[in-house]
Amino acid sequence: MFPRARVQAMYAKEEWNSLANLAFVTGQTNKMISSSLPVEYMARIAPERLTEQWIPDDPELRSKDRFPDFLAARRRMLANVLNELLGLPTYDGQAAHRDTDELPADEEVIAEEPAAPTLVGAEVQELRTEQGVEIHAIYEGRRANSYYDPSSRTVTIPSGPGRGEYESPSGAAVAVVRALNPHVNPNRNGWSFWTVTATGNLLQSIR
């Protein structure tokens, strides 16, 4: 809906390539839109056609500088269409992300019992330094270096974007995304976000 040529220089790919910026249109309509902004071409489209595509009716959201607000409004509309179909509560877009929002399998905690096998194998122990297993991630062209503790599954980012200690790999990943690209949804699966520096494999390889 916001042509890529008009927004890619100002906003991240995750935004202009997101579902909230897509609509089903005919080839004729696509030619009519061309590289025009919504503030220009939507005034020529019948309101009921916009409603059918769950497009926010607030004209103030159709200018280039309001692109993130347009996406947020349309995400709420699309989410509520699905929630209504599934019988779920209305989504208002205000709920803060928590690590517990990830799929349970991502951060499942295995209770340790005296007879339970150790969670940290000998191969993993060989990767450990004094600070932990060295891991890193490349996001938005920036490298974030961190340390993973296999025993507690915590991640420490000693410096740079997202600096801090986190209870899970996903929590640390969210912090990095928020620091480097605050305009996008920060949800990330930490096991596939981080790479073990010594092996070049994803963190899930030593989970």
Side-chain angles (χ1 to χ4, degrees):
M1 285 178 287
F2 278 76
R4 181 175 68 179
R6 301 295 296 273
V7 294
Q8 65 180 350
M10 293 179 60
Y11 300 100
K13 181 178 180 180
E14 288 91 340
E15 294 183 283
W16 48 259
N17 201 39
S18 71
L19 287 175
N21 195 38
L22 300 180
F24 292 102
V25 299
T26 65
Q28 181 180 359
T29 300
N30 192 45
K31 289 181 180 179
M32 181 273 288
I33 293 173
S34 184
S35 61
S36 302
L37 288 169
V39 70
E40 300 164 353
Y41 72 81
M42 283 187 182
R44 306 194 299 271
I45 298 177
E48 57 268 25
R49 298 285 83 84
L50 299 179
T51 300
E52 289 172 355
Q53 296 278 1
W54 299 287
I55 294 174
D57 58 8
D58 184 357
E60 297 294 326
L61 298 179
R62 298 173 187 173
S63 60
K64 186 162 60 174
D65 62 325
R66 296 295 302 278
F67 181 47
D69 298 323
F70 175 90
L71 293 180
R74 190 157 190 259
R75 286 191 192 104
R76 286 194 296 271
M77 296 177 74
L78 294 175
N80 281 323
V81 170
L82 294 176
N83 284 353
E84 184 176 352
L85 289 173
L86 298 172
L88 298 174
T90 299
Y91 171 68
D92 62 8
Q94 301 301 314
H97 169 74
R98 302 168 298 168
D99 284 339
T100 52
D101 292 337
E102 301 281 352
L103 293 176
D106 180 38
E107 301 300 344
E108 182 178 13
V109 177
I110 302 175
E112 292 190 50
E113 300 178 358
T118 177
L119 298 178
V120 184
E123 298 85 357
V124 177
Q125 289 286 15
E126 290 178 359
L127 297 173
R128 295 190 71 155
T129 66
E130 185 176 342
Q131 294 87 1
V133 176
E134 186 176 349
I135 61 176
H136 71 274
I138 306 294
Y139 182 75
E140 292 291 299
R142 296 278 301 277
R143 178 180 173 118
N145 295 310
S146 309
Y147 295 97
Y148 170 65
D149 184 339
S151 301
S152 63
R153 296 190 172 186
T154 58
V155 171
T156 300
I157 304 176
S159 61
R163 177 180 179 182
E165 185 173 337
Y166 301 91
E167 295 181 355
S168 69
S170 293
V174 166
V176 170
V177 173
R178 279 180 175 157
L180 293 177
N181 195 356
H183 298 298
V184 302
N185 186 325
N187 287 8
R188 295 294 185 278
N189 183 327
W191 301 104
S192 57
F193 183 84
W194 298 101
T195 296
V196 179
T197 301
T199 65
N201 297 323
L202 296 179
L203 182 56
Q204 63 189 16
S205 66
I206 62 169
R207 183 173 178 177

